Amino acid sequence: MIFSSVEFLIFLVVLILLYYQVGKQHQWFVLLLASMAFLGYLSANFLVYTGLIITINYFLGKLIEKTSEAKKKRRWYFLGMVVNIGQLVFFKYINFLIQNINLFFGIFEPSDQVPYMNIILPVGISYYTFECIGYLIDLYRGTSKAEKHWGIFASYILLFPKLLAGPIERSKSFLPALRKKYDFNPALFNDGLIQLFWGFFKKLVVADRIAAVVNTVYGNVDEFTGLPLLVLLVLQVFHMYFDFSGYTDIALGIGKLFGLRLTNNFDRPLFAQNISMFWRKWHISLTTWCNDYIFKRILLRRMRWKKWAAVYGVFMTFLIIGIWHGAGWNFVILGTMQGVAINYEFFTKRQRLRVASHLHPYWVRFFSRILVFVFFAFTLVFF
């Protein structure tokens, strides 16, 4: 059941009617059942597996909060990291690791090959894994409280509008939102409908039409040279933006239909004047998550390195962002290029400002946006 299907629209209408008819204290339960039905429709196995991961994180969160002894607390926290990162690595990266092991040992023993594993990536695993990790980190740091109600916690992880393509929601703000009781709000509901249909327009009318061209060229890339490839370089940026932001608008619009406000993932990123600004406007929930739980942690642990701590932190953060998008060396290159670009901006900021001071602000903005666009377009080749 995809968002643009007739089945989903019928599902959504029935769900809205039920949501506002039941007692307000049961609204979270309606969302939980709907999310379980949504995932179960895609795969019963995925539903069972995700339920297991939710239950493990739920009990680990309670153990982390109630354990006062530092060593035991650290053990529960470490176990949570192993479970969440381990299952993500297994499902998403195990065959990539096997491929590289075979390439390496094939140099010495070409006949010895580790067999690939026939596994299917669970729906939404990249998103809900980060949500679970962030939840446990907040508990370990003592900056939030463990959720006492399994159903509320499961609703947070499984919530169907964000399950397929995010955004990555923070437990500190979203768990309390699920506990609230919502009256029907005509203004918010209308706003949600507008955003929902705007998302469908971006995805179905714009992105899917561009995809027909992009996929044709990439599917027969050896047959094209010159101008068609340059056009592809530009079109793929708009395809990626309208496709991904379209999904985000659909998710945000659905959330508003139920009184929930999900995190906006895009803020006019194609108008960014540098790569740092671009990543503050593109896939916002991912980049802010990585900033809070990866980059800042690296800075704290490497303070003695001074400015090189930031350099290292940027590289590691964007390497993880690159790999998070997929298993392959192309994603490693993608993340590395972003890290190089942002560090370049950091070390050349003074010189670039000096040059910009001699130019009209309009042309500075214009050429800066063009350069960011071209750089991002080039990196999407690896994506």
Side-chain angles (χ1 to χ4, degrees):
M1 184 168 21
I2 59 175
F3 287 162
S4 57
S5 67
V6 175
E7 293 90 344
F8 177 78
L9 294 178
I10 295 172
F11 166 80
L12 185 60
V13 171
V14 172
L15 181 60
I16 291 169
L17 294 174
L18 181 61
Y19 182 79
Y20 287 109
Q21 287 300 316
V22 302
K24 294 178 185 177
Q25 67 272 23
H26 301 307
Q27 288 177 329
W28 68 267
F29 185 63
V30 173
L31 290 178
L32 175 59
L33 287 182
S35 299
M36 292 175 67
F38 179 82
L39 181 55
Y41 181 89
L42 297 174
S43 169
N45 291 334
F46 289 166
L47 177 60
V48 172
Y49 177 75
T50 308
L52 176 63
I53 292 298
I54 288 170
T55 303
I56 291 172
N57 280 278
Y58 169 74
F59 283 109
L60 282 174
K62 294 181 72 174
L63 287 168
I64 290 171
E65 183 180 63
K66 76 176 186 179
T67 303
S68 56
E69 186 180 339
K71 284 187 177 180
K72 288 185 178 179
K73 194 183 193 77
R74 193 178 303 114
R75 286 173 190 165
W76 291 125
Y77 167 73
F78 181 73
L79 177 61
M81 295 302 104
V82 170
V83 168
N84 286 296
I85 297 173
Q87 56 100 28
L88 182 61
V89 169
F90 175 77
F91 281 105
K92 194 168 184 176
Y93 305 104
I94 189 65
N95 282 327
F96 174 60
L97 296 173
I98 290 173
Q99 177 188 31
N100 286 279
I101 289 171
N102 287 336
L103 286 173
F104 178 76
F105 287 105
I107 299 172
F108 309 102
E109 295 289 342
S111 60
D112 293 338
Q113 295 284 296
V114 179
Y116 290 99
M117 302 188 71
N118 185 23
I119 54 177
I120 301 175
L121 186 68
V123 171
I125 190 172
S126 296
Y127 293 94
Y128 66 68
T129 296
F130 269 26
E131 287 177 336
C132 289
I133 290 173
Y135 172 70
L136 296 183
I137 290 175
D138 288 341
L139 293 177
Y140 183 70
R141 291 174 176 175
T143 57
S144 68
K145 297 291 184 180
E147 176 54 55
K148 302 299 189 293
H149 197 301
W150 183 90
I152 297 290
F153 183 71
S155 297
Y156 158 59
I157 299 297
L158 279 178
L159 191 69
F160 72 92
K162 67 178 182 62
L163 184 65
L164 297 179
I168 301 170
E169 294 295 342
R170 303 295 184 89
S171 60
K172 287 188 287 188
S173 59
F174 210 74
L175 284 171
L178 288 171
R179 286 189 169 277
K180 292 180 180 178
K181 300 173 177 61
Y182 295 97
D183 291 312
F184 180 76
N185 184 331
L188 184 61
F189 190 88
N190 290 337
D191 189 36
L193 282 178
I194 292 170
Q195 191 162 13
L196 174 65
F197 287 118
W198 176 235
F200 279 132
F201 176 82
K202 290 164 76 174
K203 174 70 179 72
L204 301 177
V205 178
V206 182
D208 286 359
R209 301 288 73 77
I210 298 175
V213 178
V214 172
N215 293 337
T216 297
V217 177
Y218 267 116
N220 307 275
V221 70
D222 293 334
E223 300 178 11
F224 295 92
T225 58
L227 183 61
L229 294 181
L230 290 176
V231 172
L232 172 69
L233 201 68
V234 174
L235 283 181
Q236 66 183 1
V237 176
F238 292 108
H239 168 246
M240 180 66 68
Y241 171 72
F242 284 106
D243 187 77
F244 196 6
S245 68
Y247 269 117
T248 295
D249 283 328
I250 292 170
L252 269 62
I254 293 172
K256 289 177 181 178
L257 299 182
F258 300 100
L260 299 170
R261 296 182 182 274
L262 279 68
T263 302
N264 185 23
N265 252 343
F266 295 90
D267 181 20
R268 303 175 70 203
L270 301 184
F271 289 92
Q273 297 179 46
N274 56 60
I275 304 301
S276 301
M277 184 187 297
F278 175 87
W279 281 103
R280 289 194 294 271
K281 294 172 173 289
W282 178 280
H283 209 332
I284 296 169
S285 65
L286 173 64
T287 53
T288 55
W289 190 97
C290 290
N291 179 68
D292 291 344
Y293 296 115
I294 299 173
F295 179 71
K296 288 182 179 178
R297 183 174 177 84
I298 290 174
L299 286 185
L300 287 173
R301 299 187 67 175
R302 298 287 186 270
M303 288 181 64
R304 64 184 183 279
W305 292 7
K306 298 181 180 179
K307 69 177 181 180
W308 297 107
V311 173
Y312 174 71
V314 166
F315 268 116
M316 292 305 299
T317 301
F318 277 95
L319 180 61
I320 291 170
I321 288 175
I323 296 173
W324 181 88
H325 281 89
W329 285 107
N330 54 312
F331 293 104
V332 174
I333 294 171
L334 174 69
T336 302
M337 291 177 71
Q338 309 303 322
V340 169
I342 291 176
N343 277 310
Y344 165 80
E345 290 179 350
F346 173 75
F347 283 105
T348 62
K349 183 177 181 179
R350 186 174 299 174
Q351 293 87 338
R352 289 184 293 108
L353 288 175
R354 188 181 302 123
V355 172
S357 66
H358 297 291
L359 302 172
H360 191 281
Y362 171 82
W363 293 112
V364 172
R365 290 193 300 271
F366 177 79
F367 285 114
S368 296
R369 288 167 177 167
I370 294 296
L371 286 173
V372 171
F373 184 94
V374 170
F375 173 79
F376 183 61
F378 180 71
T379 62
L380 280 186
V381 174
F382 296 93
F383 186 87

